[in-house]
Amino acid sequence: MRCIMHGQAAAAAPQIVEYVKESFPQYAVWEVCDAPKNDTLITSYFNYNNSWYAMAVYAYYAKTQTVTLLHSTKTWVQISIENGKIVATQSSGNADRACYVNLLA
């Protein structure tokens, strides 16, 4: 897994934090990171094969540590909060591809 920071260095400027899991097989569960302390948006992107993609946007509510799905093209990767962690679960079939989870920080 790798983490990449995008955005400006200024403290007040929003940044996108990207987490990448290079191999994410069917029914795999990935503990992405600690749940944020503030409300934010979480996105997931999964390449099912070279022509099918699954993208989703979730709203994260820090006070209740819950997520709400706002939009998705496919629900092959589900985001949830478990024990204070952001968790991704893959359910696309038998694909073993890279998965990306982004947080607006």
Side-chain angles (χ1 to χ4, degrees):
M1 182 188 80
R2 57 190 159 104
C3 174
I4 303 165
M5 299 285 289
H6 300 280
Q8 298 176 351
Q15 294 186 352
I16 297 172
V17 181
E18 179 177 77
Y19 297 89
V20 181
K21 184 139 180 92
E22 299 293 342
S23 176
F24 197 41
Q26 181 182 22
Y27 304 123
V29 176
W30 171 26
E31 194 173 272
V32 179
C33 63
D34 289 335
K37 296 185 188 324
N38 298 311
D39 294 351
T40 192
L41 293 175
I42 302 171
T43 65
S44 65
Y45 170 84
F46 180 74
N47 178 357
Y48 178 72
N49 59 33
N50 291 331
S51 60
W52 289 89
Y53 300 92
M55 299 171 71
V57 178
Y58 293 82
Y60 167 73
Y61 305 98
K63 185 175 182 179
T64 58
Q65 288 203 337
T66 56
V67 292
T68 300
L69 179 64
L70 301 177
H71 178 75
S72 71
T73 58
K74 299 282 185 195
T75 55
W76 292 333
V77 174
Q78 297 81 37
I79 298 294
S80 60
I81 308 299
E82 298 177 19
N83 299 318
K85 305 279 186 185
I86 294 176
V87 174
T89 305
Q90 199 264 81
S91 63
S92 70
N94 60 3
D96 182 3
R97 302 285 183 163
C99 183
Y100 303 81
V101 174
N102 298 288
L103 281 73
L104 185 62

XYZ file of all heavy atoms in Angstrom:
828
model
N 0.841 -1.168 0.000
C 0.000 0.000 0.000
C 0.884 1.227 0.000
O 1.932 1.243 0.614
C -0.897 -0.004 1.227
C -1.835 1.171 1.251
S -2.751 1.335 2.786
C -1.544 2.100 3.824
N 0.434 2.275 -0.704
C 1.170 3.529 -0.672
C 0.198 4.676 -0.464
O -0.981 4.561 -0.741
C 1.983 3.710 -1.950
C 1.200 3.661 -3.216
C 2.140 3.608 -4.429
N 1.446 3.083 -5.565
C 1.000 3.818 -6.573
N 1.186 5.111 -6.587
N 0.362 3.262 -7.571
N 0.692 5.768 0.036
C -0.109 6.958 0.294
C 0.549 8.124 -0.418
O 1.759 8.315 -0.319
C -0.185 7.222 1.793
S -1.001 8.771 2.222
N -0.248 8.904 -1.128
C 0.261 10.036 -1.893
C -0.532 11.278 -1.496
O -1.758 11.238 -1.456
C 0.102 9.791 -3.403
C 0.817 8.497 -3.807
C 0.619 10.966 -4.215
C 0.434 7.974 -5.155
N 0.162 12.371 -1.206
C -0.497 13.637 -0.879
C -0.509 14.525 -2.111
O 0.521 14.685 -2.761
C 0.253 14.357 0.251
C 0.319 13.602 1.545
S -1.215 13.608 2.460
C -1.277 15.297 2.992
N -1.669 15.064 -2.425
C -1.805 15.999 -3.531
C -2.290 17.328 -2.970
O -3.008 17.365 -1.998
C -2.840 15.501 -4.550
C -2.508 14.196 -5.164
N -1.618 14.071 -6.190
C -2.938 12.940 -4.897
C -1.528 12.807 -6.546
N -2.315 12.095 -5.764
N -1.959 18.431 -3.605
C -2.463 19.726 -3.181
C -1.355 20.642 -2.736
O -0.184 20.323 -2.799
N -1.762 21.798 -2.260
C -0.791 22.797 -1.836
C -0.328 22.514 -0.418
O -0.994 21.842 0.351
C -1.425 24.189 -1.915
C -1.838 24.554 -3.330
C -2.554 25.888 -3.368
O -2.884 26.447 -2.341
N -2.789 26.377 -4.568
N 0.801 23.070 -0.065
C 1.378 22.830 1.255
C 0.754 23.708 2.335
O 0.930 23.442 3.510
C 2.881 23.069 1.218
N 0.035 24.757 1.975
C -0.560 25.653 2.969
C -1.531 24.883 3.859
O -2.292 24.046 3.390
C -1.284 26.802 2.273
N -1.503 25.175 5.155
C -2.307 24.432 6.119
C -3.800 24.542 5.833
O -4.542 23.604 6.065
C -1.990 24.925 7.523
N -4.267 25.677 5.339
C -5.695 25.877 5.119
C -6.170 25.317 3.782
O -7.361 25.172 3.560
C -6.022 27.363 5.194
N -5.268 25.011 2.891
C -5.654 24.518 1.568
C -6.069 23.052 1.658
O -5.373 22.251 2.278
C -4.502 24.675 0.589
N -7.203 22.688 1.060
C -7.595 21.278 1.070
C -6.583 20.429 0.303
O -5.984 20.889 -0.659
C -8.941 21.252 0.374
C -9.275 22.629 0.003
C -8.137 23.518 0.355
N -6.420 19.221 0.748
C -5.535 18.277 0.082
C -6.288 16.990 -0.159
O -7.237 16.678 0.550
C -4.306 17.984 0.944
C -3.405 19.160 1.148
C -2.135 18.760 1.893
O -2.001 17.654 2.376
N -1.200 19.672 1.961
N -5.846 16.244 -1.145
C -6.381 14.915 -1.396
C -5.319 13.918 -0.960
O -4.177 13.993 -1.389
C -6.731 14.724 -2.875
C -7.835 15.697 -3.289
C -7.152 13.269 -3.134
C -8.104 15.720 -4.770
N -5.715 13.017 -0.098
C -4.821 11.953 0.348
C -5.268 10.688 -0.378
O -6.429 10.289 -0.279
C -4.890 11.750 1.872
C -3.927 10.657 2.303
C -4.601 13.050 2.602
N -4.358 10.076 -1.118
C -4.684 8.893 -1.908
C -3.983 7.663 -1.329
O -2.786 7.670 -1.120
C -4.254 9.105 -3.355
C -4.538 7.916 -4.254
C -4.178 8.190 -5.689
O -2.969 8.158 -5.999
O -5.098 8.466 -6.472
N -4.770 6.632 -1.088
C -4.246 5.344 -0.634
C -4.424 4.350 -1.782
O -5.469 4.327 -2.428
C -5.004 4.855 0.597
C -4.842 5.773 1.782
C -5.720 6.831 1.991
C -3.805 5.592 2.681
C -5.568 7.684 3.070
C -3.649 6.436 3.767
C -4.535 7.481 3.952
O -4.374 8.321 5.013
N -3.404 3.539 -2.030
C -3.430 2.611 -3.164
C -3.110 1.210 -2.675
O -2.135 1.000 -1.959
C -2.401 3.022 -4.246
C -2.457 2.061 -5.426
C -2.622 4.453 -4.686
N -3.945 0.267 -3.073
C -3.672 -1.155 -2.833
C -3.521 -1.791 -4.206
O -4.466 -1.874 -4.972
C -4.802 -1.803 -2.054
C -4.531 -3.239 -1.699
C -4.994 -3.505 -0.289
C -4.752 -4.922 0.140
N -3.478 -5.088 0.802
N -2.302 -2.203 -4.532
C -1.990 -2.689 -5.878
C -2.702 -3.990 -6.228
O -3.019 -4.231 -7.380
C -0.473 -2.874 -6.037
C 0.318 -1.595 -5.859
C 0.079 -0.567 -6.951
O -0.425 -0.912 -8.028
O 0.383 0.612 -6.709
N -2.931 -4.841 -5.250
C -3.596 -6.115 -5.473
C -4.777 -6.211 -4.525
O -4.601 -6.235 -3.301
C -2.612 -7.267 -5.223
O -3.275 -8.503 -5.339
N -5.991 -6.245 -5.075
C -7.202 -6.225 -4.255
C -8.185 -7.260 -4.812
O -9.070 -6.948 -5.590
C -7.787 -4.812 -4.275
C -8.793 -4.530 -3.180
C -8.596 -4.987 -1.890
C -9.923 -3.784 -3.449
C -9.507 -4.707 -0.889
C -10.835 -3.495 -2.462
C -10.637 -3.958 -1.171
N -8.023 -8.556 -4.438
C -8.835 -9.628 -5.014
C -10.261 -9.656 -4.484
O -10.602 -8.964 -3.520
C -8.072 -10.883 -4.601
C -7.333 -10.499 -3.374
C -7.011 -9.041 -3.517
N -11.084 -10.493 -5.104
C -12.490 -10.629 -4.732
C -12.636 -10.957 -3.252
O -11.899 -11.781 -2.704
C -13.146 -11.725 -5.556
C -14.616 -11.911 -5.232
C -15.235 -13.030 -6.027
O -14.555 -13.915 -6.511
N -16.538 -12.986 -6.173
N -13.586 -10.287 -2.602
C -13.927 -10.443 -1.188
C -12.809 -10.033 -0.240
O -12.891 -10.283 0.953
C -14.393 -11.868 -0.873
C -15.551 -12.300 -1.727
C -15.476 -13.439 -2.519
C -16.721 -11.553 -1.786
C -16.524 -13.828 -3.328
C -17.782 -11.918 -2.596
C -17.677 -13.063 -3.354
O -18.712 -13.436 -4.158
N -11.783 -9.389 -0.755
C -10.722 -8.898 0.121
C -11.242 -7.735 0.955
O -12.112 -6.974 0.526
C -9.519 -8.452 -0.700
N -10.711 -7.607 2.144
C -11.039 -6.497 3.036
C -9.739 -5.754 3.299
O -8.731 -6.350 3.670
C -11.654 -7.003 4.357
C -11.897 -5.854 5.310
C -12.941 -7.765 4.077
N -9.775 -4.446 3.090
C -8.590 -3.602 3.216
C -8.852 -2.547 4.274
O -9.762 -1.733 4.141
C -8.286 -2.976 1.864
C -7.235 -1.920 1.818
C -6.184 -1.754 2.655
C -7.142 -0.877 0.851
N -5.430 -0.676 2.267
C -5.998 -0.117 1.159
C -7.905 -0.511 -0.258
C -5.617 0.990 0.414
C -7.529 0.579 -1.006
C -6.382 1.315 -0.669
N -8.067 -2.557 5.341
C -8.132 -1.513 6.361
C -7.295 -0.352 5.839
O -6.074 -0.367 5.921
C -7.590 -2.049 7.679
C -7.921 -1.181 8.856
C -7.504 -1.851 10.154
O -8.307 -2.609 10.710
O -6.362 -1.600 10.587
N -7.957 0.648 5.283
C -7.282 1.718 4.542
C -6.488 2.635 5.462
O -5.297 2.865 5.252
C -8.299 2.527 3.706
C -7.615 3.649 2.950
C -9.062 1.608 2.759
N -7.151 3.209 6.469
C -6.505 4.178 7.356
C -7.420 4.460 8.533
O -8.556 3.994 8.573
C -6.180 5.474 6.601
S -7.641 6.354 5.991
N -6.927 5.252 9.479
C -7.775 5.711 10.577
C -8.857 6.624 10.030
O -8.635 7.374 9.065
C -6.949 6.488 11.607
C -6.013 5.606 12.400
O -6.292 4.397 12.523
O -4.994 6.117 12.882
N -10.022 6.567 10.638
C -11.112 7.454 10.240
C -10.744 8.897 10.595
O -10.161 9.148 11.652
C -12.401 7.046 10.944
N -11.060 9.849 9.715
C -10.721 11.254 9.984
C -11.466 11.808 11.194
O -12.505 11.294 11.598
C -11.168 11.978 8.710
C -11.352 10.925 7.681
C -11.679 9.664 8.421
N -10.942 12.882 11.742
C -11.570 13.541 12.889
C -12.634 14.550 12.456
O -13.405 15.029 13.276
C -10.504 14.233 13.736
C -9.522 13.260 14.360
C -8.566 13.983 15.271
C -7.448 13.197 15.811
N -7.546 11.864 16.177
N -12.661 14.883 11.155
C -13.638 15.853 10.631
C -14.447 15.232 9.501
O -14.011 14.280 8.850
C -12.911 17.093 10.087
C -12.136 17.806 11.167
O -12.655 18.084 12.241
N -10.879 18.089 10.891
N -15.618 15.811 9.248
C -16.431 15.390 8.113
C -15.635 15.590 6.824
O -14.870 16.558 6.705
C -17.712 16.215 8.029
C -18.655 15.990 9.200
O -18.410 15.073 10.013
O -19.635 16.744 9.303
N -15.813 14.686 5.876
C -15.072 14.797 4.620
C -15.743 13.966 3.537
O -16.766 13.315 3.775
C -13.601 14.373 4.812
O -12.858 14.759 3.663
C -13.459 12.887 5.047
N -15.160 13.986 2.365
C -15.584 13.127 1.268
C -14.561 12.015 1.098
O -13.356 12.235 1.248
C -15.694 13.912 -0.039
C -16.795 14.963 -0.103
C -16.700 15.739 -1.417
C -18.172 14.322 0.042
N -15.053 10.830 0.780
C -14.207 9.681 0.492
C -14.596 9.168 -0.887
O -15.788 9.024 -1.180
C -14.404 8.553 1.532
C -14.095 9.054 2.940
C -13.559 7.335 1.171
C -14.473 8.066 4.031
N -13.612 8.918 -1.726
C -13.902 8.333 -3.036
C -13.159 7.009 -3.172
O -12.108 6.808 -2.573
C -13.491 9.259 -4.200
O -12.075 9.414 -4.199
C -14.153 10.615 -4.088
N -13.733 6.131 -3.969
C -13.039 4.889 -4.312
C -13.051 4.734 -5.825
O -13.985 5.160 -6.499
C -13.703 3.682 -3.645
O -15.014 3.495 -4.137
N -11.987 4.124 -6.326
C -11.829 3.887 -7.750
C -11.226 2.501 -7.904
O -10.211 2.189 -7.288
C -10.912 4.954 -8.353
C -10.491 4.684 -9.780
C -11.320 5.041 -10.838
C -9.277 4.078 -10.063
C -10.937 4.789 -12.140
C -8.894 3.832 -11.362
C -9.733 4.185 -12.397
O -9.356 3.929 -13.683
N -11.878 1.666 -8.712
C -11.423 0.288 -8.886
C -11.482 -0.057 -10.361
O -12.491 0.143 -11.024
C -12.323 -0.653 -8.079
C -11.947 -2.102 -8.191
C -10.821 -2.583 -7.545
C -12.714 -2.980 -8.930
C -10.472 -3.929 -7.635
C -12.379 -4.309 -9.027
C -11.258 -4.788 -8.379
N -10.387 -0.580 -10.891
C -10.293 -0.978 -12.287
C -10.618 -2.463 -12.369
O -9.779 -3.309 -12.085
C -8.880 -0.687 -12.802
C -8.678 -1.108 -14.233
O -9.561 -1.681 -14.862
N -7.515 -0.836 -14.753
N -11.854 -2.780 -12.770
C -12.290 -4.178 -12.835
C -11.505 -4.963 -13.879
O -11.053 -6.057 -13.658
C -13.780 -4.239 -13.121
C -14.330 -5.632 -13.266
C -14.455 -6.462 -12.153
C -14.716 -6.131 -14.498
C -14.951 -7.739 -12.274
C -15.221 -7.406 -14.626
C -15.334 -8.208 -13.519
O -15.827 -9.471 -13.650
N -11.371 -4.383 -15.036
C -10.473 -4.899 -16.069
C -10.025 -3.687 -16.867
O -10.181 -2.575 -16.409
C -11.129 -5.993 -16.930
C -12.369 -5.503 -17.642
O -12.454 -4.343 -18.029
N -13.343 -6.372 -17.816
N -9.492 -3.852 -18.006
C -8.974 -2.692 -18.719
C -10.054 -1.807 -19.331
O -9.750 -0.759 -19.872
C -7.976 -3.138 -19.791
C -6.713 -3.666 -19.163
O -6.328 -3.253 -18.073
N -6.068 -4.602 -19.823
N -11.307 -2.202 -19.234
C -12.355 -1.366 -19.814
C -13.502 -1.052 -18.860
O -14.339 -0.215 -19.169
C -12.917 -2.020 -21.082
O -13.474 -3.281 -20.768
N -13.581 -1.686 -17.701
C -14.647 -1.431 -16.736
C -14.057 -0.795 -15.482
O -13.090 -1.294 -14.922
C -15.342 -2.733 -16.343
C -16.166 -3.303 -17.434
C -15.756 -4.174 -18.394
C -17.537 -3.043 -17.688
N -16.786 -4.478 -19.226
C -17.905 -3.797 -18.820
C -18.493 -2.240 -17.077
C -19.174 -3.770 -19.348
C -19.761 -2.220 -17.600
C -20.105 -2.973 -18.722
N -14.677 0.275 -15.053
C -14.203 0.987 -13.870
C -15.361 1.183 -12.889
O -16.499 1.359 -13.304
C -13.639 2.359 -14.246
C -12.487 2.264 -15.202
C -12.681 2.308 -16.575
C -11.192 2.095 -14.733
C -11.619 2.199 -17.454
C -10.124 1.984 -15.594
C -10.350 2.041 -16.953
O -9.293 1.918 -17.816
N -15.059 1.159 -11.638
C -16.056 1.432 -10.603
C -15.572 2.628 -9.801
O -14.459 2.625 -9.281
C -16.223 0.222 -9.697
N -16.408 3.648 -9.740
C -16.076 4.846 -8.967
C -17.234 5.136 -8.021
O -18.397 4.953 -8.387
C -15.844 6.025 -9.901
C -14.686 5.792 -10.856
S -14.551 7.056 -12.122
C -13.993 8.429 -11.141
N -16.909 5.581 -6.821
C -17.945 5.908 -5.842
C -17.502 7.095 -5.003
O -16.309 7.295 -4.776
C -18.231 4.712 -4.940
N -18.490 7.863 -4.544
C -18.249 9.009 -3.661
C -19.117 8.821 -2.423
O -20.316 8.577 -2.527
C -18.590 10.346 -4.353
C -18.369 11.513 -3.396
C -17.792 10.517 -5.632
N -18.482 8.953 -1.271
C -19.166 8.817 0.008
C -18.993 10.092 0.827
O -17.952 10.731 0.769
C -18.557 7.676 0.837
C -18.751 6.301 0.282
C -17.920 5.807 -0.716
C -19.757 5.482 0.769
C -18.093 4.525 -1.219
C -19.929 4.198 0.271
C -19.096 3.732 -0.719
O -19.253 2.464 -1.217
N -20.006 10.423 1.614
C -19.884 11.468 2.633
C -19.541 10.759 3.939
O -20.153 9.738 4.289
C -21.189 12.234 2.782
N -18.544 11.275 4.641
C -18.139 10.716 5.927
C -18.514 11.703 7.020
O -18.222 12.893 6.926
C -16.628 10.451 5.961
C -16.118 10.163 7.352
C -16.390 8.945 7.968
C -15.407 11.117 8.062
C -15.941 8.685 9.259
C -14.957 10.869 9.343
C -15.229 9.653 9.940
O -14.793 9.412 11.218
N -19.179 11.194 8.072
C -19.611 12.019 9.193
C -18.817 11.615 10.434
O -18.988 10.508 10.969
C -21.107 11.844 9.438
C -21.916 12.129 8.192
C -22.354 11.097 7.376
C -22.190 13.438 7.805
C -23.074 11.361 6.220
C -22.906 13.713 6.647
C -23.343 12.667 5.863
O -24.051 12.922 4.713
N -17.929 12.491 10.870
C -17.001 12.175 11.954
C -17.710 11.925 13.287
O -17.317 11.026 14.037
C -15.979 13.292 12.104
N -18.721 12.709 13.582
C -19.386 12.603 14.886
C -19.982 11.205 15.094
O -19.884 10.638 16.182
C -20.474 13.665 15.012
C -21.140 13.701 16.366
C -22.117 14.852 16.475
C -22.736 14.897 17.854
N -23.660 16.014 17.989
N -20.574 10.647 14.049
C -21.207 9.329 14.158
C -20.352 8.211 13.554
O -20.724 7.041 13.637
C -22.575 9.333 13.453
O -22.378 9.708 12.081
C -23.533 10.286 14.124
N -19.231 8.580 12.940
C -18.355 7.649 12.228
C -19.160 6.745 11.292
O -19.103 5.518 11.356
C -17.511 6.824 13.195
C -16.425 7.636 13.860
C -15.272 6.790 14.356
O -15.406 5.608 14.592
N -14.123 7.416 14.505
N -19.905 7.408 10.403
C -20.694 6.704 9.403
C -20.398 7.274 8.026
O -19.888 8.393 7.904
C -22.207 6.838 9.677
O -22.547 8.227 9.736
C -22.598 6.155 10.985
N -20.720 6.502 6.997
C -20.592 6.955 5.622
C -21.931 6.803 4.914
O -22.721 5.914 5.253
C -19.504 6.180 4.835
C -18.124 6.492 5.362
C -19.757 4.697 4.840
N -22.162 7.688 3.951
C -23.345 7.619 3.107
C -22.882 7.633 1.665
O -22.110 8.510 1.276
C -24.277 8.829 3.363
O -24.681 8.814 4.725
C -25.498 8.782 2.461
N -23.347 6.667 0.879
C -23.011 6.627 -0.536
C -23.758 7.743 -1.252
O -24.982 7.812 -1.203
C -23.387 5.272 -1.130
C -23.121 5.088 -2.620
C -21.637 5.169 -2.925
C -23.703 3.759 -3.089
N -23.016 8.640 -1.904
C -23.624 9.750 -2.636
C -23.826 9.413 -4.110
O -24.818 9.795 -4.710
C -22.752 11.007 -2.515
C -22.497 11.515 -1.100
C -21.556 12.703 -1.136
C -23.809 11.865 -0.416
N -22.862 8.710 -4.694
C -22.955 8.352 -6.109
C -21.974 7.226 -6.408
O -20.887 7.181 -5.837
C -22.619 9.554 -7.009
C -22.646 9.210 -8.458
N -23.812 9.033 -9.149
C -21.649 8.966 -9.332
C -23.533 8.721 -10.402
N -22.220 8.677 -10.545
N -22.353 6.336 -7.317
C -21.415 5.308 -7.771
C -21.771 4.875 -9.183
O -22.924 4.923 -9.592
C -21.424 4.096 -6.841
O -22.624 3.374 -6.984
N -20.745 4.471 -9.925
C -20.966 3.882 -11.237
C -21.201 2.383 -11.094
O -21.972 1.806 -11.833
C -19.771 4.135 -12.172
O -18.594 3.599 -11.579
C -19.590 5.614 -12.438
N -20.548 1.776 -10.151
C -20.717 0.372 -9.768
C -20.368 0.281 -8.293
O -19.585 1.067 -7.785
C -19.767 -0.557 -10.542
C -19.939 -0.550 -12.034
C -21.118 -1.376 -12.448
C -21.183 -1.437 -13.971
N -22.452 -1.908 -14.441
N -20.913 -0.694 -7.603
C -20.621 -0.835 -6.173
C -19.690 -2.016 -5.924
O -19.898 -2.808 -5.008
C -21.922 -0.990 -5.361
O -22.659 -2.095 -5.896
C -22.751 0.270 -5.401
N -18.664 -2.127 -6.724
C -17.710 -3.228 -6.575
C -16.792 -3.048 -5.381
O -16.193 -4.003 -4.918
C -16.897 -3.390 -7.840
C -17.702 -3.882 -8.990
C -18.831 -4.652 -8.953
C -17.453 -3.634 -10.361
N -19.282 -4.896 -10.215
C -18.463 -4.290 -11.102
C -16.468 -2.930 -11.040
C -18.503 -4.256 -12.479
C -16.517 -2.890 -12.409
C -17.532 -3.555 -13.122
N -16.649 -1.829 -4.897
C -15.872 -1.569 -3.681
C -16.783 -0.812 -2.720
O -17.281 0.258 -3.048
C -14.600 -0.755 -3.975
C -13.898 -0.379 -2.672
C -13.661 -1.540 -4.874
N -17.017 -1.400 -1.571
C -17.842 -0.754 -0.555
C -16.935 -0.169 0.522
O -15.990 -0.817 0.957
C -18.819 -1.746 0.087
C -19.832 -2.329 -0.864
C -19.276 -3.483 -1.679
O -18.500 -4.286 -1.181
N -19.657 -3.560 -2.936
N -17.261 1.043 0.936
C -16.525 1.717 2.007
C -17.380 1.673 3.269
O -18.579 1.945 3.226
C -16.213 3.184 1.629
C -15.329 3.256 0.381
C -15.576 3.924 2.802
C -13.927 2.706 0.549
N -16.745 1.336 4.380
C -17.427 1.337 5.666
C -16.445 1.809 6.732
O -15.256 1.970 6.476
C -17.943 -0.071 6.002
O -16.869 -0.984 6.073
N -16.973 2.041 7.921
C -16.148 2.420 9.068
C -16.274 1.306 10.093
O -17.385 0.956 10.510
C -16.607 3.764 9.687
C -16.700 4.862 8.630
C -15.678 4.156 10.836
C -15.398 5.178 7.926
N -15.138 0.725 10.468
C -15.126 -0.354 11.446
C -14.022 -0.108 12.460
O -12.866 0.061 12.088
C -14.910 -1.700 10.746
C -16.027 -2.041 9.774
C -15.779 -3.342 9.024
O -14.948 -4.148 9.494
O -16.412 -3.526 7.981
N -14.411 -0.057 13.712
C -13.446 0.147 14.814
C -12.551 1.358 14.580
O -11.338 1.297 14.791
C -12.599 -1.113 15.021
C -13.440 -2.310 15.399
O -14.361 -2.200 16.202
N -13.148 -3.452 14.803
N -13.150 2.453 14.110
C -12.405 3.689 13.913
C -11.504 3.695 12.686
O -10.641 4.560 12.563
N -11.701 2.758 11.773
C -10.889 2.663 10.551
C -11.787 2.738 9.325
O -12.931 2.276 9.347
C -10.133 1.325 10.497
C -9.275 1.030 11.689
C -7.968 1.732 11.602
C -7.054 1.288 12.750
N -5.832 2.022 12.773
N -11.258 3.313 8.247
C -11.929 3.247 6.954
C -11.578 1.898 6.358
O -10.404 1.529 6.265
C -11.482 4.387 6.028
C -11.937 5.722 6.605
C -12.026 4.183 4.617
C -11.451 6.920 5.820
N -12.604 1.155 5.956
C -12.425 -0.197 5.435
C -13.039 -0.277 4.042
O -14.149 0.206 3.814
C -13.089 -1.236 6.379
C -13.049 -2.625 5.784
C -12.421 -1.203 7.738
N -12.306 -0.881 3.100
C -12.810 -1.116 1.748
C -12.975 -2.623 1.566
O -12.112 -3.406 1.974
C -11.834 -0.560 0.715
N -14.088 -3.026 0.947
C -14.362 -4.433 0.662
C -14.636 -4.574 -0.824
O -15.454 -3.831 -1.376
C -15.573 -4.936 1.477
O -15.327 -4.685 2.859
C -15.804 -6.416 1.264
N -13.992 -5.521 -1.472
C -14.103 -5.720 -2.917
C -15.081 -6.848 -3.220
O -14.981 -7.919 -2.644
C -12.710 -6.057 -3.480
C -12.559 -5.850 -4.971
C -12.771 -7.102 -5.779
O -13.895 -7.457 -6.028
N -11.707 -7.738 -6.201
N -16.034 -6.599 -4.138
C -17.036 -7.619 -4.468
C -17.325 -7.664 -5.968
O -18.452 -7.888 -6.380
C -18.328 -7.345 -3.701
O -18.869 -6.102 -4.116
N -16.318 -7.489 -6.797
C -16.531 -7.357 -8.234
C -16.652 -8.675 -8.982
O -17.002 -8.698 -10.132
C -15.378 -6.566 -8.854
O -14.212 -7.341 -8.830
N -16.359 -9.759 -8.377
C -16.268 -11.025 -9.090
C -14.911 -11.611 -8.789
O -14.525 -11.728 -7.649
N -14.152 -11.937 -9.805
C -12.848 -12.541 -9.555
C -11.683 -11.638 -9.938
O -10.569 -12.100 -10.085
C -12.726 -13.877 -10.293
C -12.883 -13.713 -11.790
O -13.030 -12.608 -12.290
N -12.855 -14.823 -12.505
N -11.932 -10.371 -10.121
C -10.864 -9.446 -10.516
C -9.894 -9.206 -9.363
O -10.298 -9.087 -8.218
C -11.453 -8.117 -10.974
N -8.635 -9.126 -9.680
C -7.600 -8.782 -8.707
C -6.835 -7.605 -9.293
O -5.869 -7.782 -10.023
C -6.667 -9.964 -8.449
C -5.620 -9.653 -7.399
O -5.644 -8.552 -6.830
O -4.770 -10.518 -7.159
N -7.306 -6.416 -9.019
C -6.749 -5.197 -9.600
C -6.429 -4.189 -8.506
O -6.745 -4.392 -7.348
C -7.763 -4.569 -10.575
C -8.201 -5.452 -11.698
C -7.117 -5.574 -12.727
N -7.602 -6.372 -13.843
C -7.040 -6.405 -15.003
N -5.957 -5.711 -15.236
N -7.520 -7.155 -15.955
N -5.847 -3.080 -8.917
C -5.525 -2.011 -7.976
C -6.806 -1.287 -7.549
O -7.752 -1.157 -8.324
C -4.553 -1.024 -8.612
N -6.796 -0.824 -6.316
C -7.900 -0.033 -5.773
C -7.319 1.258 -5.198
O -6.259 1.252 -4.586
C -8.627 -0.816 -4.691
S -10.049 0.054 -4.023
N -8.030 2.353 -5.396
C -7.617 3.668 -4.916
C -8.716 4.207 -4.015
O -9.890 4.192 -4.375
C -7.415 4.627 -6.083
C -6.420 4.137 -7.101
C -6.787 3.217 -8.078
C -5.091 4.567 -7.069
C -5.879 2.734 -8.998
C -4.179 4.099 -7.989
C -4.569 3.186 -8.952
O -3.653 2.712 -9.859
N -8.325 4.695 -2.853
C -9.256 5.362 -1.943
C -8.679 6.741 -1.661
O -7.502 6.875 -1.313
C -9.451 4.567 -0.640
C -10.292 5.357 0.344
C -10.099 3.216 -0.943
N -9.512 7.777 -1.863
C -9.070 9.162 -1.688
C -9.899 9.837 -0.612
O -11.113 9.638 -0.546
C -9.225 9.940 -2.994
C -8.373 9.346 -4.083
O -7.162 9.472 -4.049
N -9.003 8.685 -5.042
N -9.235 10.661 0.197
C -9.920 11.474 1.209
C -9.586 12.925 0.957
O -8.426 13.269 0.666
C -9.441 11.122 2.613
C -10.000 9.870 3.268
C -9.440 8.627 2.656
C -9.761 9.915 4.745
N -10.569 13.772 1.077
C -10.349 15.202 1.030
C -9.989 15.626 2.447
O -10.788 15.492 3.369
C -11.594 15.929 0.542
C -11.472 17.421 0.336
C -10.423 17.727 -0.734
C -12.811 18.004 -0.057
N -8.754 16.072 2.634
C -8.285 16.390 3.989
C -8.030 17.877 4.142
O -7.778 18.567 3.209
C -7.001 15.630 4.275
